Amino acid sequence: MNDHVPSLDAIKRYYGEVLKSSADLQTSACCIDGAPAPHIRTALDHVHDEVKARFYGCGSPIPFALGGTKVLDLGCGAGRDCYVLSQLVEPDGSVIGVDMTEAQLEVARRHLGFHREKLGYANVDFRKGYIEDLRTADIADASMDVVVSNCVLNLSPDKPRVFREIFRVLKPGGELYFSDVFADRRIPADLAADPVLRGECLGGALYWEDFRRLLASIGCADARVMERRRLAINNPDIESRTGAIVFCSVTVRAFKLDLEDRCEDYGQAAIYRGTVAEAPHAFMLDDHHRFETGKAMTVCGNTADMLSQTRFAPHFEIVGGKSVHYGLFDCGPSIGNGDELPANCC
Ligand SMILES: C[S@@+](CC[C@H](N)C(=O)[O-])C[C@H]1O[C@@H](n2cnc3c(N)ncnc32)[C@H](O)[C@@H]1O
C-alpha cells in the first residue's frame, strides 16, 4: 500500500485536515448513541479531553474479559478506544493502535505521558500504518488476542485485504470485535466516490450480504451480531442524496476458529460460571445468546467452540462433545447461518 492511492489520500485529508473535532462532522454517522457501560464510563474518566474530543467512532467495540490480552485497534484515530482498552487489559496486557493519518497519531501520542501518569503504567503503542497491510505497522502473524475497530473498515477501498490481514494477525481462537457502518444495499458508485460521504463513513458502508460473503470467503463461517442501531444522518442535503438507503451501526464479533457454516446440534450444553468481571449475573455472547450464571443452556457446535476454544474457556463448563450429531440446531440469526438479518439490517 502506498500513499498515492487517491481515496486513501482523501480520507487522510478528511481526518487530518478537515476534521478538528467531532463538532466538525457533517452527519451523525460517526457518533455514538446512549451512555457507555459503567466500566467504560469509569475508564473514560481517565482519558484526556482532547483525545475524547477527536473521537469519531460509531459504536463501542470493547468486549469483555480483556485482562492480560494483546489488543490491536485498527484506525485508532486520536486513541480514545486505545486509552480505554489500556485500562481494561490491565498492566500485563498491551494495546497497539494503528492509523495512517499523522495528525490523528500526533494527538494520540502527545497524551501518552498524561495517561502514563494517570494510570501508573504505560502499555499503549501508536503506530503509523495501513490496515490493508498490517506489516506496515510491524504486526506479526498470529500475534493478537483481540482486534477491534471503530468506524474504520467502511473507509477502506480494499476490504477483502483488510479482513485477510485481520485473520492473519489474530492468534488461533482470537477475536475480531468491531463496530462499523453497514447499509441495506450496495452504495451507488457516485455516492461511494464522494469524498464527504466517504469521509463521513457512509459512501463506503458495508452491504450486509457482501460482508457475509467476504467473511465466508476467508474461512469465517459464523460471525455474531452484538448490537445494531439505525443511524440518523441529520443532514438534509446528504439525506436527499442517500434517499432510501438505510444505514446502521452494527457491532460484530467473529473468532478465528474453524467453524461450520450452519449451526449443528451435537447435544451440547454450556454453563456460565459467572466469572467474567463485567458480567457476574449473565454473559451475552451475541444479541440472542444470553447465558445466566449457573444455568445450563443447550448450544450448537459453533457456540460451544466459541466458548471453549477462546479466552472465554475458563468461564464456561461445556457438557458433551461432538461425537454424536443430531441434525441442524435452531440457533437464531447469526450471519453465516442462513438466517440473515432483516433486509434493512437494523
Ligand atoms: C472515523 S475515524 C475513527 C477513528 C477512531 N477509531 C475513533 O473511534 O475515534 C477513521 C480513522 O481511520 C483511519 N483510517 C482510515 N482508513 C485507514 C487505512 N486504510 N489504514 C489506516 N488507517 C485508516 C483514519 O485516519 C481515521 O483516523
mmCIF file of all heavy atoms in Angstrom, residues 8 11 15 30 54-57 75-77 81 99-101 104 129-132 150-152 155 201, ligand 1:
data_model
loop_
_atom_site.group_PDB
_atom_site.id
_atom_site.type_symbol
_atom_site.label_atom_id
_atom_site.label_comp_id
_atom_site.label_asym_id
_atom_site.label_seq_id
_atom_site.Cartn_x
_atom_site.Cartn_y
_atom_site.Cartn_z
ATOM 1 N N LEU A 8 -7.393 6.841 -0.366
ATOM 2 C CA LEU A 8 -6.760 6.880 0.958
ATOM 3 C C LEU A 8 -6.236 8.282 1.258
ATOM 4 O O LEU A 8 -6.331 8.768 2.381
ATOM 5 C CB LEU A 8 -5.623 5.852 1.054
ATOM 6 C CG LEU A 8 -6.054 4.396 1.197
ATOM 7 C CD1 LEU A 8 -4.838 3.502 1.367
ATOM 8 C CD2 LEU A 8 -7.002 4.191 2.361
ATOM 9 N N ILE A 11 -9.125 10.355 2.375
ATOM 10 C CA ILE A 11 -9.526 10.020 3.758
ATOM 11 C C ILE A 11 -8.534 10.638 4.749
ATOM 12 O O ILE A 11 -8.921 11.190 5.776
ATOM 13 C CB ILE A 11 -9.572 8.481 3.953
ATOM 14 C CG1 ILE A 11 -10.597 7.851 3.018
ATOM 15 C CG2 ILE A 11 -9.842 8.105 5.400
ATOM 16 C CD1 ILE A 11 -12.017 8.193 3.309
ATOM 17 N N TYR A 15 -9.528 13.273 7.765
ATOM 18 C CA TYR A 15 -9.297 13.094 9.212
ATOM 19 C C TYR A 15 -8.100 13.879 9.719
ATOM 20 O O TYR A 15 -7.985 14.119 10.922
ATOM 21 C CB TYR A 15 -9.180 11.592 9.541
ATOM 22 C CG TYR A 15 -10.549 10.959 9.462
ATOM 23 C CD1 TYR A 15 -10.965 10.306 8.313
ATOM 24 C CD2 TYR A 15 -11.462 11.119 10.491
ATOM 25 C CE1 TYR A 15 -12.252 9.800 8.202
ATOM 26 C CE2 TYR A 15 -12.745 10.625 10.393
ATOM 27 C CZ TYR A 15 -13.131 9.963 9.254
ATOM 28 O OH TYR A 15 -14.407 9.483 9.153
ATOM 29 N N CYS A 30 -20.749 9.084 12.367
ATOM 30 C CA CYS A 30 -19.595 8.721 13.211
ATOM 31 C C CYS A 30 -19.828 9.218 14.638
ATOM 32 O O CYS A 30 -19.000 9.963 15.190
ATOM 33 C CB CYS A 30 -18.315 9.326 12.674
ATOM 34 S SG CYS A 30 -17.883 8.820 11.034
ATOM 35 N N ARG A 54 -11.717 14.219 19.843
ATOM 36 C CA ARG A 54 -11.442 13.769 18.471
ATOM 37 C C ARG A 54 -11.886 12.325 18.276
ATOM 38 O O ARG A 54 -11.290 11.578 17.502
ATOM 39 C CB ARG A 54 -9.961 13.930 18.150
ATOM 40 C CG ARG A 54 -9.604 15.397 17.967
ATOM 41 C CD ARG A 54 -8.199 15.586 17.466
ATOM 42 N NE ARG A 54 -8.084 15.272 16.052
ATOM 43 C CZ ARG A 54 -7.436 16.026 15.172
ATOM 44 N NH1 ARG A 54 -6.864 17.142 15.542
ATOM 45 N NH2 ARG A 54 -7.347 15.670 13.917
ATOM 46 N N PHE A 55 -12.933 11.956 18.957
ATOM 47 C CA PHE A 55 -13.481 10.594 18.804
ATOM 48 C C PHE A 55 -14.498 10.611 17.669
ATOM 49 O O PHE A 55 -15.431 11.409 17.669
ATOM 50 C CB PHE A 55 -14.154 10.190 20.118
ATOM 51 C CG PHE A 55 -14.902 8.887 20.043
ATOM 52 C CD1 PHE A 55 -14.249 7.709 19.715
ATOM 53 C CD2 PHE A 55 -16.272 8.835 20.295
ATOM 54 C CE1 PHE A 55 -14.940 6.504 19.644
ATOM 55 C CE2 PHE A 55 -16.972 7.644 20.233
ATOM 56 C CZ PHE A 55 -16.302 6.478 19.908
ATOM 57 N N TYR A 56 -14.314 9.706 16.704
ATOM 58 C CA TYR A 56 -15.232 9.647 15.559
ATOM 59 C C TYR A 56 -15.807 8.232 15.417
ATOM 60 O O TYR A 56 -16.083 7.780 14.306
ATOM 61 C CB TYR A 56 -14.509 10.026 14.263
ATOM 62 C CG TYR A 56 -13.767 11.350 14.314
ATOM 63 C CD1 TYR A 56 -12.427 11.431 13.965
ATOM 64 C CD2 TYR A 56 -14.425 12.518 14.692
ATOM 65 C CE1 TYR A 56 -11.742 12.654 13.999
ATOM 66 C CE2 TYR A 56 -13.742 13.732 14.736
ATOM 67 C CZ TYR A 56 -12.406 13.785 14.392
ATOM 68 O OH TYR A 56 -11.734 14.981 14.432
ATOM 69 N N GLY A 57 -15.963 7.523 16.519
ATOM 70 C CA GLY A 57 -16.467 6.152 16.447
ATOM 71 C C GLY A 57 -17.982 6.114 16.314
ATOM 72 O O GLY A 57 -18.675 7.097 16.587
ATOM 73 N N GLY A 75 -7.254 1.669 12.837
ATOM 74 C CA GLY A 75 -7.772 3.027 12.616
ATOM 75 C C GLY A 75 -8.079 3.674 13.952
ATOM 76 O O GLY A 75 -9.176 4.163 14.188
ATOM 77 N N CYS A 76 -7.057 3.698 14.803
ATOM 78 C CA CYS A 76 -7.254 4.114 16.201
ATOM 79 C C CYS A 76 -7.530 5.596 16.345
ATOM 80 O O CYS A 76 -7.969 6.051 17.404
ATOM 81 C CB CYS A 76 -6.026 3.752 17.019
ATOM 82 S SG CYS A 76 -4.540 4.578 16.408
ATOM 83 N N GLY A 77 -7.270 6.374 15.289
ATOM 84 C CA GLY A 77 -7.514 7.811 15.369
ATOM 85 C C GLY A 77 -6.694 8.444 16.481
ATOM 86 O O GLY A 77 -5.509 8.145 16.668
ATOM 87 N N ASP A 81 -10.351 4.879 22.122
ATOM 88 C CA ASP A 81 -10.604 3.479 22.493
ATOM 89 C C ASP A 81 -9.333 2.804 23.018
ATOM 90 O O ASP A 81 -9.388 1.973 23.923
ATOM 91 C CB ASP A 81 -11.172 2.696 21.300
ATOM 92 C CG ASP A 81 -12.631 3.071 21.000
ATOM 93 O OD1 ASP A 81 -13.265 3.737 21.841
ATOM 94 O OD2 ASP A 81 -13.130 2.702 19.916
ATOM 95 N N ASP A 99 -2.890 3.660 12.694
ATOM 96 C CA ASP A 99 -3.635 4.620 11.876
ATOM 97 C C ASP A 99 -2.684 5.153 10.801
ATOM 98 O O ASP A 99 -1.470 5.180 10.993
ATOM 99 C CB ASP A 99 -4.165 5.777 12.737
ATOM 100 C CG ASP A 99 -5.391 6.435 12.110
ATOM 101 O OD1 ASP A 99 -5.233 7.159 11.115
ATOM 102 O OD2 ASP A 99 -6.511 6.214 12.614
ATOM 103 N N MET A 100 -3.264 5.583 9.679
ATOM 104 C CA MET A 100 -2.431 6.092 8.579
ATOM 105 C C MET A 100 -2.305 7.609 8.617
ATOM 106 O O MET A 100 -1.515 8.174 7.857
ATOM 107 C CB MET A 100 -3.020 5.677 7.233
ATOM 108 C CG MET A 100 -4.360 6.323 6.947
ATOM 109 S SD MET A 100 -4.986 5.858 5.329
ATOM 110 C CE MET A 100 -6.501 6.837 5.299
ATOM 111 N N THR A 101 -3.090 8.280 9.489
ATOM 112 C CA THR A 101 -3.137 9.748 9.448
ATOM 113 C C THR A 101 -2.279 10.337 10.562
ATOM 114 O O THR A 101 -2.596 10.194 11.756
ATOM 115 C CB THR A 101 -4.599 10.237 9.570
ATOM 116 O OG1 THR A 101 -5.356 9.610 8.541
ATOM 117 C CG2 THR A 101 -4.699 11.744 9.420
ATOM 118 N N GLN A 104 -3.803 12.510 13.367
ATOM 119 C CA GLN A 104 -4.535 11.757 14.389
ATOM 120 C C GLN A 104 -3.537 11.129 15.379
ATOM 121 O O GLN A 104 -3.704 11.219 16.595
ATOM 122 C CB GLN A 104 -5.366 10.639 13.743
ATOM 123 C CG GLN A 104 -6.513 11.131 12.888
ATOM 124 C CD GLN A 104 -7.747 11.365 13.755
ATOM 125 O OE1 GLN A 104 -7.799 12.317 14.528
ATOM 126 N NE2 GLN A 104 -8.727 10.511 13.618
ATOM 127 N N GLY A 129 0.488 3.129 10.015
ATOM 128 C CA GLY A 129 0.421 2.003 9.084
ATOM 129 C C GLY A 129 -0.943 1.925 8.445
ATOM 130 O O GLY A 129 -1.837 2.718 8.746
ATOM 131 N N TYR A 130 -1.061 0.948 7.546
ATOM 132 C CA TYR A 130 -2.297 0.764 6.785
ATOM 133 C C TYR A 130 -2.971 -0.535 7.206
ATOM 134 O O TYR A 130 -2.302 -1.572 7.316
ATOM 135 C CB TYR A 130 -1.989 0.716 5.283
ATOM 136 C CG TYR A 130 -1.528 2.051 4.766
ATOM 137 C CD1 TYR A 130 -0.168 2.360 4.709
ATOM 138 C CD2 TYR A 130 -2.448 3.009 4.366
ATOM 139 C CE1 TYR A 130 0.260 3.598 4.255
ATOM 140 C CE2 TYR A 130 -2.036 4.247 3.911
ATOM 141 C CZ TYR A 130 -0.686 4.540 3.857
ATOM 142 O OH TYR A 130 -0.258 5.764 3.411
ATOM 143 N N ILE A 131 -4.281 -0.455 7.360
ATOM 144 C CA ILE A 131 -4.999 -1.646 7.805
ATOM 145 C C ILE A 131 -5.058 -2.688 6.691
ATOM 146 O O ILE A 131 -5.300 -3.856 6.962
ATOM 147 C CB ILE A 131 -6.412 -1.295 8.330
ATOM 148 C CG1 ILE A 131 -7.269 -0.630 7.245
ATOM 149 C CG2 ILE A 131 -6.293 -0.392 9.546
ATOM 150 C CD1 ILE A 131 -8.715 -0.353 7.695
ATOM 151 N N GLU A 132 -4.789 -2.271 5.457
ATOM 152 C CA GLU A 132 -4.761 -3.230 4.341
ATOM 153 C C GLU A 132 -3.461 -4.031 4.347
ATOM 154 O O GLU A 132 -3.359 -5.058 3.668
ATOM 155 C CB GLU A 132 -4.880 -2.505 2.990
ATOM 156 C CG GLU A 132 -6.220 -1.853 2.736
ATOM 157 C CD GLU A 132 -6.360 -0.476 3.404
ATOM 158 O OE1 GLU A 132 -5.386 -0.018 4.044
ATOM 159 O OE2 GLU A 132 -7.444 0.127 3.290
ATOM 160 N N ASN A 150 -13.265 0.806 15.260
ATOM 161 C CA ASN A 150 -14.467 1.614 15.481
ATOM 162 C C ASN A 150 -14.665 2.565 14.308
ATOM 163 O O ASN A 150 -13.986 3.589 14.203
ATOM 164 C CB ASN A 150 -14.322 2.394 16.802
ATOM 165 C CG ASN A 150 -15.663 2.823 17.365
ATOM 166 O OD1 ASN A 150 -16.679 2.791 16.666
ATOM 167 N ND2 ASN A 150 -15.669 3.217 18.630
ATOM 168 N N CYS A 151 -15.542 2.170 13.399
ATOM 169 C CA CYS A 151 -15.945 3.063 12.307
ATOM 170 C C CYS A 151 -14.801 3.341 11.335
ATOM 171 O O CYS A 151 -14.558 4.499 10.965
ATOM 172 C CB CYS A 151 -16.477 4.366 12.892
ATOM 173 S SG CYS A 151 -17.836 5.018 11.924
ATOM 174 N N VAL A 152 -14.105 2.301 10.928
ATOM 175 C CA VAL A 152 -12.921 2.455 10.074
ATOM 176 C C VAL A 152 -12.982 1.566 8.832
ATOM 177 O O VAL A 152 -12.666 2.001 7.724
ATOM 178 C CB VAL A 152 -11.636 2.119 10.885
ATOM 179 C CG1 VAL A 152 -10.403 2.169 10.009
ATOM 180 C CG2 VAL A 152 -11.491 3.045 12.078
ATOM 181 N N LEU A 155 -14.156 2.608 5.479
ATOM 182 C CA LEU A 155 -13.376 3.602 4.732
ATOM 183 C C LEU A 155 -12.398 2.955 3.757
ATOM 184 O O LEU A 155 -11.889 3.624 2.846
ATOM 185 C CB LEU A 155 -12.590 4.484 5.715
ATOM 186 C CG LEU A 155 -13.445 5.360 6.642
ATOM 187 C CD1 LEU A 155 -12.599 5.917 7.784
ATOM 188 C CD2 LEU A 155 -14.080 6.499 5.854
ATOM 189 N N CYS A 201 -18.205 8.174 6.539
ATOM 190 C CA CYS A 201 -18.423 6.737 6.781
ATOM 191 C C CYS A 201 -19.713 6.209 6.159
ATOM 192 O O CYS A 201 -20.198 5.148 6.568
ATOM 193 C CB CYS A 201 -18.381 6.410 8.276
ATOM 194 S SG CYS A 201 -16.769 6.725 8.992
HETATM 195 C C1 LIG B 1 -13.963 7.527 11.571
HETATM 196 S S1 LIG B 1 -12.313 7.688 12.136
HETATM 197 C C2 LIG B 1 -12.370 6.647 13.565
HETATM 198 C C3 LIG B 1 -11.171 6.852 14.457
HETATM 199 C C4 LIG B 1 -11.233 6.081 15.773
HETATM 200 N N1 LIG B 1 -11.451 4.666 15.584
HETATM 201 C C5 LIG B 1 -12.293 6.670 16.679
HETATM 202 O O1 LIG B 1 -13.216 5.921 17.035
HETATM 203 O O2 LIG B 1 -12.186 7.839 17.003
HETATM 204 C C6 LIG B 1 -11.406 6.719 10.968
HETATM 205 C C7 LIG B 1 -9.909 6.609 11.218
HETATM 206 O O3 LIG B 1 -9.406 5.529 10.415
HETATM 207 C C8 LIG B 1 -8.192 5.917 9.831
HETATM 208 N N2 LIG B 1 -8.065 5.150 8.587
HETATM 209 C C9 LIG B 1 -8.942 5.141 7.553
HETATM 210 N N3 LIG B 1 -8.539 4.304 6.590
HETATM 211 C C10 LIG B 1 -7.360 3.766 7.019
HETATM 212 C C11 LIG B 1 -6.455 2.830 6.447
HETATM 213 N N4 LIG B 1 -6.682 2.310 5.265
HETATM 214 N N5 LIG B 1 -5.361 2.478 7.169
HETATM 215 C C12 LIG B 1 -5.143 3.042 8.401
HETATM 216 N N6 LIG B 1 -5.951 3.938 8.969
HETATM 217 C C13 LIG B 1 -7.068 4.302 8.299
HETATM 218 C C14 LIG B 1 -8.336 7.420 9.617
HETATM 219 O O4 LIG B 1 -7.079 8.029 9.514
HETATM 220 C C15 LIG B 1 -9.113 7.829 10.846
HETATM 221 O O5 LIG B 1 -8.255 8.170 11.904
#
